[in-house]
Amino acid sequence: MTAPVMRPYLTATARFASGGDTPRDFLERCLATIDEREAEIGAFVALNVAGARDAADRATERWRAGRQLSPIDGMPVGVKDIIETADMPTQMGSPLYDGWRSGRDAASVAALRAAGAVVLGKTVTTEFAATEPRGTRNPWDPARTPGGSSSGSAAAVACGMVAAALGTQVIGSIVRPASYCGCVGYKPSLGGLNRGGSHDNFSQSCHGVLAATSAEAWTVAREIAARAGGDPGWLGVMGPATPLPRRPRTLALLETEGWPRRSDAAGRALDAAIARLSDAGIAIMSRGNDATLGAVEASLADAMALSRAINNWEARWPLNAYRERDEAMLSRGMMERLVAAEAMTQADYAALLRRRFETRALWAGLAASCDAVVTLSAPGAAPLGLHSTGDPGFAVAASLLGVPAVSLPLLRAEGLPLGLQIIGFEQRDADLFGAIAGIEALLV
Amino acid sequence: MTAPVMRPYLTATARFASGGDTPRDFLERCLATIDEREAEIGAFVALNVAGARDAADRATERWRAGRQLSPIDGMPVGVKDIIETADMPTQMGSPLYDGWRSGRDAASVAALRAAGAVVLGKTVTTEFAATEPRGTRNPWDPARTPGGSSSGSAAAVACGMVAAALGTQVIGSIVRPASYCGCVGYKPSLGGLNRGGSHDNFSQSCHGVLAATSAEAWTVAREIAARAGGDPGWLGVMGPATPLPRRPRTLALLETEGWPRRSDAAGRALDAAIARLSDAGIAIMSRGNDATLGAVEASLADAMALSRAINNWEARWPLNAYRERDEAMLSRGMMERLVAAEAMTQADYAALLRRRFETRALWAGLAASCDAVVTLSAPGAAPLGLHSTGDPGFAVAASLLGVPAVSLPLLRAEGLPLGLQIIGFEQRDADLFGAIAGIEALLV
């Protein structure tokens, strides 16, 4: 089969002033891909084509007049369906929210529209952004999962149905689907993008961006944060329009708890990338040659269990309210999570937060000895089957740590895409993108 | 006129086992007061009398069988109308939410019900818990404001329509109405009670409790937090069922920016209370005799302006989404706030957060030299008129600082109630209640 092709936007805008291309034409190309592939992929739960065409026409006028609202004016975007939109329902992958409309845009959506972006549709999410899949297929192979929970966002970006999309991550919900679908996935530092009007309330939750290139992911996030800020009390993503590219002097190779489960092909692909970076003169730290990194790895050994336990307590509400409304509309996984939550106490949660705090402090200590951290985004290519959204063992570390992470579609395994994950330090997202530009210059 | 009488619940429960009194009888007494006074006071926007009677009957059975769910099983409570309830609309004091139902209980409401509490009604809030009043009158004098934004909660508790009520505070919305209405108002430490399903998204916002006594305020908060936790990432209110009473050795007398606006009567009432505490052997620090406290006062001199500017940025959403829906349904104050927000940048917000951080650090330093901080809750008795909810100049400090504060109805001015405000240190709410018990033993 032909490999799906993404649709980067920033490069296209170069021809907008002359009229050689227009936001409306760009949108029509996205719509043609949707016509062609959506029936098979199932990336969207709702589309507002008429609204998108209107918005694209207005953007076309602005670019023509040189009065564009931002670099992403006219960019067609998808919005994960736990994030509210005024013009489309927000259904959260749950029958409890079948057809539900909040009547307002979420903070991130309002910011996107204020920047001129064209909100084309709502993308499929697993039930309440957890694990229960909702049928989206991987554009590289419809027999495989696109990953989750930002399933539709990753699939839609990967095959050019939209230029970029909003996702959310609390365990591995941006990095993993980006890896499986072969697009860029950016999970910012904690609090990086305002979650107002989004239904992902966990303390590790973060809004992020799926896009065709790292530059587009950064630009979209930055344009949102400039207009919506971060979560209340947080500055949000900030930094230059183009973070200064710099070749890292030292990178830390992180194994994470996913390491023993990596496929042979994934292991080889990572080894080859590390070898190229090393050959270019970048020092590579590993758990074997650096005690601080060894301690970090040890502290992350149960990152999944720790994150899940924290999420369980924090999901007691709204799951208890939903059980009260209609228990039959919750999946078995959700009911199990609620039972686990109700068996917990504040003292249990206190112990979990203490563990997380210690892990974060160890990670912060790494910043003295390396410029960024590198690992896989997933143990291998997207697995066959749609019953599961795959293994988040490599993605969970950055979520637990609250630090920025970007999955770059630079590796291949089994002829399918695989992400190289670059992880940074808290609230230093711009520095991470600078290092990414340096790494991409060596690996692309 | 006769002074309104509150209806404490914990003492009443002593007779529940014998059947000498019952939760249902208690509820009926509340309902009788509502019949008598609600037309005049206007504390509620919605009541669920049938549901409350059912819940009270179930509580009656449990107490009779010795199987009560908690010390507050059967307690009739009100819920501020920005907090979602499954059985009643949540209208937020705004025509934009006229008749709106979320179909679920907020985290705090689900916790109250799980503890057996009887959710009797939704209490009046100003528009989106800000400043636009919604007509509630003060039970001590219907020509006066009850304060805001937790207007209905304070008024309903003060005249015994409910035993306790949920409120929220971002500037002075619990402490001020408690002072004006003569009940206890408890604003916990930042993150103290889970705000899930409540529409108060500010970084300084906190859920709290209006109640007849400090012991009841503490107990209600603790029972909620045990079942709902704090905000995600926060432990929430924790501590013993009855914090150990201890007479403070040293109290700091805080002036706050409200000081020059205090009425003569309020000044005299505070002086007299301080004199009694001093006579009992408690050392009183003031800005004149303690340099740390002097620095704290200086850092709090523009607490209102700083808090309002922070709130403006954080209110950009959802106000921009509401303007998009129907600008005519926003008050002029809300539109002004939105205009102010849209003139701000992330860099402006960064400077504000830095200021707040410095203020909090100074406050934390006070803990080494005093057990608690004491000041007025308001510059005087409730002002005449319903056009304004009064002056939050004394209440804002604890909001900006993110520390626990309790308004105790221990003072009088102009024959009306006035709160003595006791302020503590972050996440040490139980210690604060221990000190309060010591102070009440001297002043009541």
Side-chain angles (χ1 to χ4, degrees):
Chain A
M1 76 185 294
T2 334
V5 178
M6 293 189 284
R7 222 177 273 288
Y9 189 77
L10 296 181
T11 43
T13 63
R15 297 174 61 228
F16 285 176
S18 70
D21 192 6
T22 69
R24 175 62 189 266
D25 291 342
F26 192 100
L27 173 66
E28 294 300 328
R29 298 196 290 277
C30 292
L31 292 171
T33 302
I34 290 174
D35 279 349
E36 190 187 326
R37 299 214 60 187
E38 173 61 6
E40 176 192 30
I41 302 299
F44 290 94
V45 281
L47 287 165
N48 181 359
V49 174
R53 283 181 165 136
D54 282 352
D57 285 343
R58 290 195 300 273
T60 295
E61 283 311 307
R62 288 190 295 264
W63 279 99
R64 191 169 289 154
R67 290 201 318 267
Q68 60 273 19
L69 299 169
S70 79
I72 62 167
D73 194 345
M75 181 190 252
V77 296
V79 174
K80 185 174 179 176
D81 198 32
I82 59 167
I83 302 172
E84 296 177 18
T85 41
D87 56 341
M88 286 174 272
T90 302
Q91 305 183 93
M92 306 190 216
S94 166
L96 279 164
Y97 279 88
D98 202 20
W100 183 72
R101 286 168 181 270
S102 72
R104 66 182 184 182
D105 283 332
S108 53
V109 174
L112 281 169
R113 293 198 212 265
V118 172
V119 179
L120 177 52
K122 299 300 284 287
T123 56
V124 171
T125 175
T126 57
E127 179 194 27
F128 296 123
T131 54
E132 195 71 16
R134 289 283 166 214
T136 305
R137 294 169 180 276
N138 191 310
W140 287 78
D141 178 354
R144 295 175 190 261
T145 178
S149 63
S150 306
S151 319
S153 288
V157 169
C159 64
M161 293 172 170
V162 285
L166 287 179
T168 69
Q169 174 162 320
V170 61
I171 298 267
S173 286
I174 290 172
V175 163
R176 179 163 93 271
S179 180
Y180 290 166
C181 293
C183 62
V184 170
Y186 166 34
K187 182 207 88 73
S189 289
L190 215 59
L193 296 173
N194 192 331
R195 286 179 291 157
S198 174
H199 298 246
D200 57 330
N201 224 25
F202 300 97
S203 61
Q204 290 182 193
S205 271
C206 210
H207 275 204
V209 181
L210 292 296
T213 68
S214 58
E216 306 223 338
W218 170 253
T219 302
V220 170
R222 192 174 165 275
E223 295 299 331
I224 293 171
R227 290 164 180 82
D231 290 327
W234 300 85
L235 285 186
V237 170
M238 282 181 88
T242 305
L244 196 67
R246 59 188 170 78
R247 180 183 296 193
R249 277 188 291 190
T250 306
L251 290 171
L253 172 61
L254 185 76
E255 296 187 352
T256 81
E257 69 176 284
W259 197 247
R261 301 193 294 276
R262 73 195 186 287
S263 71
D264 291 344
R268 284 193 303 273
L270 178 64
D271 290 348
I274 295 291
R276 286 175 68 186
L277 295 169
S278 176
D279 289 350
I282 298 174
I284 307 291
M285 287 163 53
S286 70
R287 69 186 308 165
N289 65 22
D290 186 274
T292 309
L293 184 53
V296 164
E297 294 274 17
S299 80
L300 291 170
D302 65 344
M304 271 304 296
L306 183 51
S307 294
R308 286 219 165 111
I310 288 171
N311 289 349
N312 283 349
W313 172 258
E314 295 172 358
R316 183 165 169 163
W317 181 88
L319 294 182
N320 56 1
Y322 294 152
R323 176 184 55 194
E324 195 64 29
R325 196 197 299 174
D326 189 348
E327 181 172 334
M329 289 201 178
L330 290 173
S331 69
R332 181 190 297 199
M334 284 290 140
M335 283 303 297
E336 286 169 356
R337 167 171 277 192
L338 178 53
V339 169
E342 291 184 329
M344 290 175 75
T345 65
Q346 280 177 288
D348 297 334
Y349 184 60
L352 299 171
L353 290 188
R354 208 173 303 123
R355 280 280 330 281
R356 187 169 73 179
F357 178 83
E358 290 161 3
T359 303
R360 290 178 178 183
L362 277 173
W363 185 268
L366 266 187
S369 45
C370 66
D371 301 295
V373 177
V374 60
T375 187
L376 292 169
S377 299
L384 283 162
L386 303 180
H387 56 287
S388 153
T389 57
D391 180 343
F394 282 92
V396 66
S399 297
L400 181 74
L401 295 164
V403 298
V406 179
S407 180
L408 301 171
L410 295 179
L411 310 181
R412 287 288 177 277
E414 310 170 41
L416 291 164
L418 176 66
L420 182 70
Q421 186 182 186
I422 316 291
I423 308 177
F425 298 101
E426 216 210 320
Q427 309 306 327
R428 288 176 49 194
D429 298 39
D431 290 345
L432 178 65
F433 276 89
I436 283 169
I439 291 167
E440 287 178 326
L442 295 171
L443 294 183
V444 174
Chain B
M1 76 185 292
T2 334
V5 178
M6 292 189 284
R7 221 177 273 291
Y9 189 77
L10 297 180
T11 44
T13 65
R15 296 173 61 226
F16 285 176
S18 70
D21 192 7
T22 70
R24 176 62 190 267
D25 291 342
F26 192 100
L27 173 66
E28 294 300 329
R29 298 196 291 276
C30 291
L31 291 171
T33 302
I34 290 174
D35 279 350
E36 189 188 327
R37 298 214 61 187
E38 172 60 7
E40 177 192 30
I41 303 300
F44 290 94
V45 281
L47 288 165
N48 181 358
V49 174
R53 282 182 166 138
D54 282 352
D57 284 344
R58 291 194 299 273
T60 296
E61 283 310 308
R62 288 191 296 264
W63 279 99
R64 192 168 287 155
R67 291 201 318 268
Q68 60 274 19
L69 299 169
S70 78
I72 62 166
D73 194 345
M75 180 188 253
V77 296
V79 174
K80 184 174 180 176
D81 199 32
I82 61 166
I83 302 172
E84 296 176 18
T85 42
D87 56 341
M88 285 174 274
T90 302
Q91 304 182 94
M92 306 191 217
S94 165
L96 279 164
Y97 279 88
D98 201 21
W100 183 71
R101 288 168 179 271
S102 72
R104 65 181 185 183
D105 282 332
S108 53
V109 173
L112 280 169
R113 293 199 212 265
V118 172
V119 179
L120 177 51
K122 299 301 282 288
T123 55
V124 171
T125 174
T126 57
E127 180 193 26
F128 296 123
T131 53
E132 194 71 16
R134 289 284 167 215
T136 304
R137 294 170 180 274
N138 192 308
W140 287 78
D141 177 354
R144 293 174 191 263
T145 178
S149 63
S150 307
S151 319
S153 288
V157 169
C159 65
M161 293 173 170
V162 286
L166 287 178
T168 69
Q169 174 162 320
V170 60
I171 298 266
S173 286
I174 290 172
V175 163
R176 179 164 92 271
S179 180
Y180 289 167
C181 293
C183 63
V184 170
Y186 166 35
K187 183 208 86 74
S189 289
L190 216 58
L193 296 174
N194 192 332
R195 285 179 292 157
S198 174
H199 297 245
D200 57 330
N201 223 25
F202 299 98
S203 61
Q204 289 181 193
S205 271
C206 210
H207 274 204
V209 181
L210 292 296
T213 69
S214 58
E216 306 223 337
W218 170 252
T219 302
V220 170
R222 192 173 164 276
E223 295 298 331
I224 292 171
R227 290 164 180 83
D231 289 328
W234 300 85
L235 286 184
V237 169
M238 282 182 86
T242 305
L244 196 66
R246 61 189 169 77
R247 178 183 297 194
R249 278 189 291 189
T250 307
L251 290 171
L253 172 60
L254 185 76
E255 295 187 354
T256 81
E257 69 177 281
W259 197 248
R261 300 193 295 275
R262 73 195 186 285
S263 71
D264 291 345
R268 283 194 304 273
L270 178 63
D271 289 347
I274 295 291
R276 286 175 67 186
L277 295 169
S278 176
D279 289 348
I282 297 174
I284 308 291
M285 285 164 53
S286 70
R287 69 186 307 166
N289 65 23
D290 186 274
T292 309
L293 184 53
V296 164
E297 294 273 16
S299 80
L300 290 170
D302 65 344
M304 270 305 296
L306 183 52
S307 294
R308 285 220 165 110
I310 288 170
N311 289 349
N312 283 349
W313 172 259
E314 296 173 357
R316 182 164 170 165
W317 182 88
L319 293 183
N320 57 0
Y322 295 152
R323 176 184 55 194
E324 196 63 31
R325 196 197 299 174
D326 190 348
E327 182 173 334
M329 289 200 178
L330 290 173
S331 70
R332 180 190 296 199
M334 285 290 141
M335 283 303 296
E336 286 170 355
R337 168 171 277 192
L338 178 53
V339 169
E342 291 183 329
M344 291 176 74
T345 66
Q346 279 177 288
D348 297 333
Y349 185 60
L352 299 171
L353 290 187
R354 206 173 304 122
R355 282 280 329 279
R356 188 170 72 179
F357 178 83
E358 290 161 2
T359 304
R360 289 178 178 182
L362 277 173
W363 184 268
L366 266 189
S369 46
C370 66
D371 301 295
V373 177
V374 60
T375 187
L376 291 169
S377 298
L384 282 163
L386 302 180
H387 56 287
S388 154
T389 58
D391 180 344
F394 282 91
V396 66
S399 297
L400 181 75
L401 295 163
V403 298
V406 179
S407 180
L408 301 171
L410 296 179
L411 310 181
R412 287 288 176 277
E414 310 170 40
L416 291 165
L418 176 67
L420 182 70
Q421 187 181 189
I422 317 292
I423 309 178
F425 299 100
E426 216 211 320
Q427 308 306 327
R428 288 176 49 195
D429 297 38
D431 290 344
L432 178 64
F433 276 89
I436 284 169
I439 290 167
E440 288 177 325
L442 295 171
L443 294 184
V444 174

